[in-house]
Amino acid sequence: MSQFGGSTSGTNLNEPYTPPKVWKWENPDPESINQPTAGARTEKSLPVGKHSLQLYSLATPNGQKVTILLEEMLESGIASAEYDAWLINIMKKDQFTSGFVDVNPNSKIPALVDRSVEGKEVKVFESGSILLYLAEKFDAFLPKDFMKRTQAMNWLFWNVGSAPYLGNFGHFYHYAHEKQRYPIDRFTMETKRLLDVLNRHLEKNEYLAGDEYSIADIANYPWYSGVVLGKSYAGSDTFLNAKEDYPHVIRWAETISKRPAVKRGEMVNKTWGSPSEQLPERHDATDFQKKTEEASQSQ
Ligand SMILES: N[C@@H](CCC(=O)N[C@@H](CS)C(=O)NCC(=O)O)C(=O)O
């Protein structure tokens, strides 16, 4: 089972179900990550490192958007984009600690605190909001041209709205213990429709905002490369017939995947997969170098 596995245990999926007037959780499990209420569940403050930017995250597609952007900024010479990336293990319920909830009341990674503003802690949550915050703060990866900037915003918000469909596809196709045809068909249909939208746009455009690589590409890359290259959910590339149906998405995803900053960004806050690709916490640019050296010594 994967580390993000989901279960419908206790529910007979074959039994017909008539929703009651008022929903009640029939077998309440106080240990479950999923609860119908919000708020902190434990008292614990967040760690703080040496840089102005403190990121609290995990290397899921939503988390990778931010680490890729920060690594791209550093690669392009913006030294003040240096950051500490702390691991939030969502399976261990770190997102429900009082410190995390204080930054993101929605208890989802990624969350960012900017301590560069005198006397203030700027708390930023929602991956799209974090990308826009950083792009505006450092005036980078957001086109200056009005038409291209509008395109970048369109595709950034399209990502925020469409990503949950891919997440639901991944849940039912890959993570759920019991495979059910209805939700798999429903979310595969929508995932394929979204891929077709992207493929048609990328047939005529090098990047999402035309010829300029921007936060729109950075937001969409982890999600859409994840499904067409089969990186997020094993077998999804074949299941979605990606090579034949979405060649322009694959061309775009492969081009972006070769960027050194993207390779680094994908490693940050990662605790699964090949050990050479994992960097659970990042506090300094040299952490990647140390990691590569460790990997070559252990061979
Ligand atoms: N709309 C949010 C979604 C973030 C999100 O769904 N994060 C997931 C991991 S990818 C999470 O933290 N899940 C923990 C939980 O549901 O308890 C964003 O774009 O930042």
Side-chain angles (χ1 to χ4, degrees):
M1 190 197 101
S2 131
Q3 73 278 17
F4 302 127
S7 166
T8 44
S9 60
T11 309
N12 182 350
L13 299 173
N14 298 319
E15 226 171 65
Y17 172 64
T18 308
K21 267 207 174 116
V22 178
W23 181 83
K24 274 202 189 70
W25 191 6
E26 270 170 21
N27 300 303
D29 173 4
E31 291 311 310
S32 171
I33 286 173
N34 299 313
Q35 303 280 341
T37 50
R41 298 186 197 169
T42 50
E43 273 306 308
K44 194 177 172 201
S45 51
L46 289 173
V48 179
K50 61 185 174 185
H51 303 295
S52 299
L53 295 175
Q54 298 294 308
L55 179 68
Y56 303 96
S57 196
L58 182 71
T60 64
N62 286 322
Q64 286 178 330
K65 295 175 192 177
V66 180
T67 48
I68 290 174
L69 177 61
L70 286 165
E71 291 299 329
E72 288 285 12
M73 288 176 157
L74 292 166
E75 182 88 19
S76 72
I78 304 171
S80 44
E82 263 297 347
Y83 65 106
D84 288 278
W86 302 96
L87 183 69
I88 296 296
N89 186 332
I90 61 176
M91 299 314 286
K92 291 194 175 153
K93 305 182 197 165
D94 292 346
Q95 70 275 36
F96 303 114
T97 58
S98 52
F100 190 87
V101 172
D102 185 43
V103 180
N104 183 359
N106 195 36
S107 287
K108 308 254 177 208
I109 65 90
L112 178 80
V113 179
D114 180 0
R115 302 163 70 91
S116 69
V117 185
E118 192 62 37
K120 284 201 175 77
E121 277 193 348
V122 187
K123 297 166 184 174
V124 200
F125 66 92
E126 278 295 317
S127 59
S129 176
I130 298 176
L131 293 189
L132 199 50
Y133 178 84
L134 292 171
E136 287 183 333
K137 178 182 170 85
F138 295 112
D139 194 17
F141 296 99
L142 189 55
K144 303 219 179 336
D145 172 83
F146 169 73
M147 298 297 279
K148 286 187 197 168
R149 189 189 159 94
T150 305
Q151 278 296 301
M153 293 303 234
N154 291 344
W155 289 103
L156 174 66
F157 282 84
W158 180 81
N159 169 263
V160 176
S162 70
Y165 289 103
L166 272 62
N168 280 314
F169 161 73
H171 177 84
F172 288 106
Y173 169 72
H174 181 72
Y175 294 130
H177 298 163
E178 303 89 353
K179 304 294 182 220
Q180 292 172 271
R181 179 155 194 163
Y182 179 80
I184 291 177
D185 272 356
R186 180 176 167 86
F187 293 113
T188 301
M189 186 85 71
E190 186 60 5
T191 297
K192 283 190 69 84
R193 192 190 67 77
L194 291 162
L195 280 165
D196 196 28
V197 172
L198 197 58
N199 195 56
R200 285 165 192 255
H201 184 69
L202 289 169
E203 184 177 3
K204 301 194 192 87
N205 295 276
E206 187 183 359
Y207 294 111
L208 290 173
D211 57 1
E212 228 179 288
Y213 175 66
S214 72
I215 52 171
D217 301 289
I218 294 171
N220 281 288
Y221 165 81
W223 278 106
Y224 288 91
S225 77
V227 293
V228 296
L229 305 180
K231 292 192 297 186
S232 298
Y233 318 121
S236 66
D237 45 345
T238 307
F239 187 66
L240 297 168
N241 205 28
K243 248 196 195 133
E244 272 175 50
D245 293 352
Y246 315 113
H248 306 293
V249 178
I250 292 181
R251 181 267 305 156
W252 166 85
E254 284 178 344
T255 304
I256 296 176
S257 72
K258 294 190 183 105
R259 298 175 68 93
V262 171
K263 289 189 186 151
R264 290 200 303 276
E266 286 180 314
M267 284 170 67
V268 177
N269 296 144
K270 194 162 182 191
T271 55
W272 60 92
S274 135
S276 64
E277 290 167 2
Q278 298 179 24
L279 190 63
E281 282 188 6
R282 181 239 187 252
H283 301 289
D284 199 276
T286 57
D287 291 348
F288 297 100
Q289 181 66 27
K290 283 187 219 142
K291 179 87 215 169
T292 319
E293 282 164 14
E294 266 170 36
S296 64
Q297 274 161 18
S298 65
Q299 273 167 15

